[in-house]
Amino acid sequence: MSAVSTAPGTTDLADRDAFLTLAREHYENFPVGSWLLPKRARLHLARIYAFARTADDLADEHRDLAALLRFRELFLESLEGRPEDAPRLFADLRLTIEECELPRQLFLDLLDAFEQDLRKNRYANQDELRDYCRRSADPVGRLVLRVHGIVDEETDRLSDHVCTGLQIVNHVQDLADDLRERDRLYFPAADLELLGIAEDDLRSASYPDGARILVRQWAEHAAWSLHEGAPIVERVRGRLRYELKAVIATAAAQIDALRAVEFDVGPGRIKASKAARLRAALAWIALGRFPRALRKGGIRW
């Protein structure tokens, strides 16, 4: 798929067609929400995912700030019912936003985070990383809750823990690839300094001890965040409870996979097998076994 490249503020037809093509490809090829969820919820979540995945690709794969800014502009226009020939992604998403009464700020927070990925590639401390997760990950969980009609402060807090944990797992898995391919490092400079790690250590094909300690530390931070958020499953009902158990359990399986390679992500993304993820999900859903990787609670951050 070719990159979408535009100048800021462009409104020509070719630009609009490019976004329409990109939106359609994502809308049709990237489903979200498993069979555990009701059909209506899967439809709304597919629309939300198409929005987030397309914007994320403009930032990560195409590295196109102008296109991302245009994407934001078209989204805001669509919320006002214009233009009449808005890309299907935006037209459909507007229906979901109206039907589920979704706050537009959650979508804008996601776009802010994607834009930040193009403007900022280093983080000084944990507070900066936490703020990034607040905008890049936490809105997704809150949107899932709103689609299911759940508006509750405590449930939102637990959801934020889960989503931040999921984001940190992704950062850990992609640590080496993010540096090599995008010159991006999410983990704080203060942590590298404390452990005596150079950035080149994190580009290595096999991680030295200090780099593995950094990976282990953040994997345990993710485990803590997931552990703290896990009580959310007791605050939701029906099939959403099973879906959340599956999400948290499969993230725990990813942490187990990192432990199995002694936190060496130098060769590239480490991913738990489908069988391991399925076993972890079924163990909690069917047998009530809380994920092993989360039982000790991880390391608070």
Side-chain angles (χ1 to χ4, degrees):
M1 179 170 56
S2 61
V4 178
S5 185
T6 67
T10 300
T11 57
D12 62 276
L13 182 60
D15 171 56
R16 190 171 306 285
D17 285 347
F19 277 109
L20 179 58
T21 300
L22 191 61
R24 280 177 173 166
E25 288 179 359
H26 279 279
Y27 188 89
E28 292 170 0
N29 294 332
F30 292 87
V32 72
S34 78
W35 56 268
L36 290 171
L37 294 179
K39 183 177 180 179
R40 171 186 168 277
R42 292 201 306 271
L43 171 63
H44 292 313
L45 293 175
R47 292 170 176 171
I48 293 168
Y49 182 77
F51 169 90
R53 181 72 267 168
T54 304
D56 190 28
D57 273 1
L58 290 175
D60 264 6
E61 303 303 325
H62 302 294
R63 309 290 293 160
D64 195 331
L65 178 59
L68 183 61
L69 293 175
R70 180 61 180 144
F71 184 91
R72 182 191 188 103
E73 183 181 357
L74 285 173
F75 168 64
L76 291 173
E77 287 177 358
S78 74
L79 295 181
E80 304 302 324
R82 56 186 179 87
E84 293 183 359
D85 61 342
R88 177 183 167 192
L89 182 154
F90 297 113
D92 286 356
L93 183 60
R94 182 187 174 198
L95 296 177
T96 285
I97 289 172
E98 292 175 349
E99 181 176 336
C100 300
E101 300 182 352
L102 304 179
R104 71 170 61 185
Q105 188 58 48
L106 294 175
F107 294 93
L108 295 177
D109 284 346
L110 287 172
L111 293 178
D112 286 346
F114 299 146
E115 182 178 339
Q116 182 168 312
D117 278 335
L118 291 171
R119 299 184 185 275
K120 183 182 180 70
N121 59 6
R122 296 294 185 277
Y123 291 79
N125 51 53
Q126 292 189 7
D127 286 343
E128 287 190 359
L129 180 56
R130 192 186 302 274
D131 178 67
Y132 173 79
C133 292
R134 179 187 63 78
R135 289 174 289 113
S136 68
D138 297 355
V140 176
R142 294 189 178 213
L143 286 168
V144 171
L145 293 176
R146 299 302 183 272
V147 164
H148 287 83
I150 300 171
V151 183
D152 175 77
E153 184 175 346
E154 176 61 13
T155 309
D156 281 349
R157 185 187 70 82
L158 295 172
S159 173
D160 291 348
H161 274 302
V162 171
C163 290
T164 292
L166 295 173
Q167 181 73 288
I168 296 302
V169 169
N170 283 333
H171 288 338
V172 169
Q173 290 178 297
D174 292 338
L175 198 164
D177 289 344
D178 276 339
L179 261 178
R180 293 168 187 154
E181 299 173 11
R182 303 178 182 90
D183 189 35
R184 184 187 299 158
L185 179 59
Y186 289 103
F187 298 117
D191 287 21
L192 273 66
E193 182 178 355
L194 184 64
L195 294 170
I197 303 170
E199 282 194 12
D200 283 345
D201 293 334
L202 303 178
R203 291 188 172 91
S204 174
S206 181
Y207 273 17
D209 290 345
R212 294 190 191 202
I213 291 173
L214 178 74
V215 175
R216 180 185 64 80
Q217 172 181 296
W218 279 98
E220 295 300 335
H221 285 330
W224 174 80
S225 195
L226 291 165
H227 180 274
E228 290 297 297
I232 193 173
V233 303
E234 302 304 326
R235 298 184 66 88
V236 300
R237 299 178 181 178
R239 293 157 71 177
L240 179 59
R241 176 176 295 182
Y242 300 135
E243 175 80 358
L244 293 180
K245 283 186 175 183
V247 167
I248 296 169
T250 53
Q254 299 285 13
I255 294 173
D256 277 334
L258 291 165
R259 288 171 176 161
V261 298
E262 297 180 337
F263 304 101
D264 184 5
V265 297
R269 170 175 266 259
I270 304 299
K271 189 171 183 179
S273 68
K274 288 184 179 180
R277 299 197 303 270
L278 181 60
R279 284 196 301 269
L282 290 178
W284 195 6
I285 293 172
L287 303 177
R289 295 176 185 167
F290 189 71
R292 179 181 59 186
L294 309 183
R295 289 175 190 169
K296 293 183 180 179
I299 300 174
R300 184 185 181 95
W301 72 298

